[in-house]
Amino acid sequence: QVQLVESGGGLVQAGGSLRLSCAASGRAFSSSVIGWFRQGPGKERTFVAGISRSGGGTYHADSVKGRFTISRDNAKNTVYLQMNSLKPEDTAVYYCAAYSSSRTSIPVYRSPRMYDYWGQGTQVTVSS
């Protein structure tokens, strides 16, 4: 089982930067794929970025590619989302999520339905 806690959200002007953190507890972290998702008001929860268990594989939604970067530090049980050149349309609640498996190779899914564990979310607001 994995428990997740997000932090680092806040209010920032367009063009600014934020770094979100997802701190995990539980023995399954190193065997877990981690994803970042976001949900704006009245919108569905959508994939932002995902990272493989080793950190060697990273994936970003087209809407954030080149601006956001996901990374992980397994020694600290933490995943980060560095967000640069923020836009008002990035405004949302950001969630980290995890799923784990004992299989040798597991994919980074983009569907939130494939993730078993979720944090409580952190609000990111970008003003124009």
Side-chain angles (χ1 to χ4, degrees), residues 1 6-7 25 29 39 41 44 57 64 72 75 78 85 90 92 94-95 99 102 106-107 109 112 121-122:
Q1 195 169 4
E6 303 96 335
S7 62
S25 60
F29 177 77
Q39 187 166 18
E44 294 185 349
V64 306
R72 72 189 292 166
T78 302
S85 302
D90 295 320
Y94 284 71
Y95 300 90
Y99 87 93
S102 59
I106 58 175
Y109 292 115
T122 185

Side-chain angles (χ1 to χ4, degrees), residues 40-126:
K43 296 182 179 180
E44 294 185 349
R45 193 169 298 188
T46 58
F47 175 82
V48 176
I51 191 164
S52 65
R53 292 179 293 191
S54 67
T58 60
Y59 306 86
H60 299 81
D62 289 344
S63 59
V64 306
K65 205 169 289 184
R67 300 188 298 123
F68 292 11
T69 303
I70 189 171
S71 62
R72 72 189 292 166
D73 185 339
N74 283 345
K76 295 183 178 180
N77 277 18
T78 302
V79 173
Y80 305 98
L81 185 67
Q82 178 66 44
M83 306 188 297
N84 299 327
S85 302
L86 282 159
K87 304 175 181 180
E89 51 264 43
D90 295 320
T91 295
V93 177
Y94 284 71
Y95 300 90
C96 66
Y99 87 93
S100 60
S101 173
S102 59
R103 292 184 300 173
T104 302
S105 177
I106 58 175
V108 176
Y109 292 115
R110 295 177 179 244
S111 170
R113 294 176 295 177
M114 303 306 292
Y115 290 77
D116 300 314
Y117 308 105
W118 290 84
Q120 81 290 349
T122 185
Q123 176 71 46
V124 171
T125 303
V126 184

